[in-house]
Amino acid sequence: MQGGAITTPRKRGFHDYFVTHLPSSSLHPDSKSVPGPHHRLPRSASQPHTSGYAGPPAAVSHPGISREMTVVRIPLQSAKFHFGISSSRGMRPYNEDMFQAGVIELPAFAKRAPVSLSRTQRQQIIEEGTAAEGVTGDPQCFYFGVFDGHGGSDCSQFLREHLHLYIENAATRLQLQSSLKKQKEFENGTLRRITEANDIPTGQGSQPGPSSPSKISDDGQKASPERQLAQLNQEVIKLQQDLVARWSDMVGGYFKRFKPEHLIIAPGRQRAINRGDDHSLLPLAQDPAKASTLETVLTYAFLKADLDFVSVEARKVDEDIVRSDRALNEDEIFGEASKKAPDPFSRQFLGGSTCSVALISTPTPMPFWNPSSPSTLVTAHVGDTRILLCRTDDGQAVSMTTNHHPSSTGEGNRLRRYAASFVTDSFGEERMGGLANTRAFGDIHSKRLGVSAEPEIRRLELQPAQYSFLTLVSDGISGLLTDQEIVDIIKESKTPEQGAKNLVDYATEVSREGDNATCMVIRLGGWERRIEGGLGSMGTKEVREWRRQEAAEPINRRR
């Protein structure tokens, strides 16, 4: 392992389905049919109404059939009442938008439910279909992503096929722990695994790494489990620091002073780790959650995926003959320019992709779309794709993302010291180095200016039926319609599948640029009440009708 790189495991197919338990009687309703009436008559109706009736007494209703559960696998794209996806290339010759939806192997990050709530939900779980547990033993973690490519679909296709694997691998290497386990349970379990690993004869254990810390201390003595746990967390921190160091060495520029918000790269802590100071490592041994959180895992995975993609593209031949002979960090005055080994049989991809990912976790096996189920939503966002929620009580749109554009105050302040200039194009949009997004995957020639894939991460606790649905859209929709217009169009649809299709059709109809448009709609607990809150879908109806009329005018189409 070099530079804290993730060891690439054998690639598996993405799980674009979820596993659930359904009553056997619902799958095979006639397999255990019982003759006779199944209704419960009132006591007065159980006796003959005439005194001269000589027939047998009314039959007694049979007891309820045992609700045995059967494990079934349901593809998300077939569950139209729970999930919908639609995509259109618009007026473009091809579609650069990509999407992904399914479940990934990730420890639960939902907030632990109170004991009283867990006991109350136990009976509800038995009476209906429930999601099965994952390999980790926690309820399944749902993964939804939209990737909007520019300059080609190479980068968006890469993210669609590999980003979920980077997240899973980062969670494993950074020792992400389930939020449903108590801190003491984690410490006891980790120390027990370390103790068991110490008992394995030499040659039968796994290779040294973050999952199997060294059993011998520097002074030749056998390290205690507590000391080995501290070493384990020390290696987790070192992985994060090595990743930032690789960005600094390969690209330079902005990344020379790159300090990701959710990674541990403080110089003081680095010096303490290098000294092996027990006092500095003790807090991490007592509270390992500080060394690795879900925010840390997502930041690490995004930056590592971008690093691998840029590294591969940097070794390819640039179509610009003059630029192809230059190193990626040739202008770096503090270090030596790196040498590239061009491959004459491949061409360098100069485009990139934005990305919005939503992860949903529940504290119990009850699925997140159940009106009685609380859940936790975590979003990771790069670029100008969009993630929106529809609030049930007032019908308002709640945005989980912001556009990473040069016109944004935060992004402008972050990059002005590195960007040569900010220009405004003919459409009035501010650009930096010809790019409209200040954060993106790829875009190899803009990396030194600060176009990074560091994600904007937000976490939100979803109360039962607090929100009606979740939607992810590309900028072919969010750049044209307001957030409230988007959710209002979806409200009028009967199913998430129909909502996604109606929104994409409307955006394609009223768009003048004809950009690629992609929409993903996920049902939440308040779906049945989506039209009740506030003005329903009437608040933006006039604006939407005006857009449609303007788009229908031939003179407007020629503008």
Side-chain angles (χ1 to χ4, degrees):
M1 181 180 68
Q2 183 178 2
I6 295 178
T7 305
T8 304
R10 183 177 61 182
K11 183 179 178 181
R12 64 162 177 81
F14 180 73
H15 293 172
D16 57 353
Y17 56 84
F18 64 95
V19 180
T20 185
H21 295 107
L22 292 178
S24 300
S25 57
S26 64
L27 299 176
H28 310 285
D30 299 329
S31 60
K32 294 184 178 181
S33 60
V34 180
H38 294 272
H39 54 77
R40 293 182 179 274
L41 299 175
R43 181 176 297 274
S44 60
S46 64
Q47 298 296 330
H49 293 283
T50 59
S51 58
Y53 180 74
V60 180
S61 61
H62 295 275
I65 301 173
S66 174
R67 295 178 65 85
E68 298 178 357
M69 307 300 283
T70 301
V71 178
V72 296
R73 180 182 296 179
I74 302 178
L76 265 177
Q77 296 193 36
S78 299
K80 63 180 181 179
F81 291 99
H82 299 83
F83 172 82
I85 182 68
S86 182
S87 185
S88 171
R89 63 181 178 87
M91 300 179 187
R92 303 293 175 87
Y94 45 82
N95 195 346
E96 298 175 347
D97 290 355
M98 298 291 168
F99 60 87
Q100 192 65 279
V103 297
I104 61 175
E105 299 299 339
L106 199 66
F109 54 87
K111 185 178 180 180
R112 296 183 62 189
V115 177
S116 58
L117 180 60
S118 302
R119 291 175 179 174
T120 304
Q121 292 179 343
R122 196 168 300 167
Q123 290 298 327
Q124 299 178 5
I125 292 176
I126 297 175
E127 294 296 329
E128 59 185 44
T130 61
E133 296 179 345
V135 175
T136 60
D138 293 333
Q140 296 174 104
C141 176
F142 285 80
Y143 170 92
F144 306 97
V146 168
F147 318 104
D148 184 2
H150 49 266
S153 59
D154 293 23
C155 189
S156 57
Q157 182 71 27
F158 169 80
L159 296 176
R160 179 184 184 274
E161 296 179 354
H162 299 283
L163 183 59
H164 61 278
L165 295 177
Y166 278 94
I167 296 175
E168 291 178 345
N169 297 339
T172 301
R173 296 302 304 276
L174 298 182
Q175 300 293 316
L176 180 65
Q177 301 301 318
S178 171
S179 63
L180 303 183
K181 297 180 181 179
K182 295 182 179 179
Q183 180 63 30
K184 197 64 179 179
E185 293 177 358
F186 162 71
E187 293 178 2
N188 294 339
T190 303
L191 294 177
R192 183 170 60 254
R193 289 194 299 272
I194 293 176
T195 304
E196 293 174 353
N198 292 342
D199 296 336
I200 299 177
T202 304
Q204 298 181 13
S206 59
Q207 295 295 327
S211 59
S212 57
S214 174
K215 297 183 292 184
I216 306 299
S217 61
D218 296 336
D219 56 2
Q221 300 292 330
K222 185 175 181 179
S224 64
E226 289 78 8
R227 172 63 181 176
Q228 294 182 49
L229 178 60
Q231 293 177 355
L232 178 65
N233 296 314
Q234 174 185 348
E235 295 182 17
V236 167
I237 296 175
K238 189 174 186 303
L239 283 175
Q240 304 174 36
Q241 297 168 335
D242 288 346
L243 177 63
V244 177
R246 291 184 63 191
W247 270 110
S248 176
D249 295 340
M250 186 185 76
V251 179
Y254 169 82
F255 291 95
K256 276 291 184 181
R257 296 176 178 85
F258 184 43
K259 295 181 179 180
E261 179 182 359
H262 298 290
L263 297 188
I264 302 175
I265 59 169
R269 178 163 291 184
Q270 177 65 68
R271 290 192 296 269
I273 291 176
N274 294 337
R275 292 196 308 267
D277 188 355
D278 290 341
H279 297 288
S280 64
L281 296 176
L282 183 60
L284 293 176
Q286 295 177 343
D287 189 5
K290 292 182 179 180
S292 180
T293 63
L294 180 60
E295 288 77 6
T296 301
V297 168
L298 290 174
T299 302
Y300 185 94
F302 273 54
L303 293 176
K304 184 63 171 63
D306 192 30
L307 177 68
D308 289 350
F309 183 83
V310 170
S311 300
V312 171
E313 295 301 325
R315 292 193 293 267
K316 296 180 181 179
V317 176
D318 193 345
E319 293 183 358
D320 187 340
I321 299 177
V322 176
R323 183 178 292 178
S324 63
D325 293 333
R326 301 176 181 176
L328 182 63
N329 60 343
E330 65 162 351
D331 297 329
E332 181 57 53
I333 62 176
F334 298 105
E336 181 181 359
S338 61
K339 298 180 180 180
K340 297 190 296 183
D343 182 0
F345 300 102
S346 60
R347 291 295 178 183
Q348 193 176 83
F349 178 72
L350 303 181
S353 176
T354 62
C355 167
S356 288
V357 169
L359 300 172
I360 303 180
S361 176
T362 56
T364 65
M366 183 180 294
F368 64 85
W369 56 79
N370 189 291
S372 303
S373 175
S375 57
T376 300
L377 169 68
V378 173
T379 61
H381 165 66
V382 169
D384 56 3
T385 43
R386 209 131 177 91
I387 302 178
L388 301 173
L389 285 163
C390 177
R391 201 157 43 214
T392 305
D393 57 355
D394 58 4
Q396 293 297 309
V398 178
S399 177
M400 295 293 293
T401 59
T402 59
N403 290 333
H404 295 146
H405 290 168
S407 57
S408 172
T409 303
E411 292 298 291
N413 295 336
R414 180 176 69 90
L415 299 176
R416 285 187 187 279
R417 62 181 300 182
Y418 298 100
S421 63
F422 286 80
V423 298
T424 303
D425 61 14
S426 59
F427 296 97
E429 296 180 356
E430 195 170 11
R431 293 179 177 267
M432 180 196 68
L435 296 177
N437 294 305
T438 56
R439 298 195 195 189
F441 288 85
D443 293 324
I444 182 173
H445 291 313
S446 301
K447 286 301 179 188
R448 296 189 72 256
L449 301 179
V451 179
S452 74
E454 179 186 4
E456 172 192 351
I457 302 176
R458 294 187 180 181
R459 181 188 291 255
L460 181 64
E461 300 297 333
L462 307 181
Q463 302 304 318
Q466 183 181 6
Y467 295 94
S468 302
F469 56 85
L470 170 73
T471 181
L472 292 78
V473 297
S474 62
D475 69 333
I477 298 176
S478 61
L480 178 67
L481 307 176
T482 64
D483 294 348
Q484 195 60 42
E485 288 179 273
I486 292 174
V487 300
D488 284 351
I489 293 174
I490 299 175
K491 286 179 189 177
E492 297 175 346
S493 307
K494 295 182 179 180
T495 65
E497 181 186 48
Q498 182 183 355
K501 185 178 185 304
N502 291 345
L503 180 59
V504 170
D505 290 347
Y506 178 82
T508 304
E509 178 184 356
V510 303
S511 174
R512 295 178 181 176
E513 292 79 16
D515 194 4
N516 300 153
T518 299
C519 174
M520 183 182 296
V521 180
I522 301 99
R523 173 178 180 151
L524 297 179
W527 173 263
E528 297 296 340
R529 299 168 49 201
R530 64 192 179 279
I531 206 72
E532 298 177 5
L535 299 176
S537 62
M538 301 301 293
T540 60
K541 190 173 184 62
E542 293 184 0
V543 176
R544 288 183 277 132
E545 289 297 332
W546 175 81
R547 290 185 188 274
R548 182 175 278 115
Q549 293 174 5
E550 286 289 304
E553 294 292 336
I555 189 174
N556 294 330
R557 280 292 185 182
R558 292 196 297 267
R559 289 180 182 177

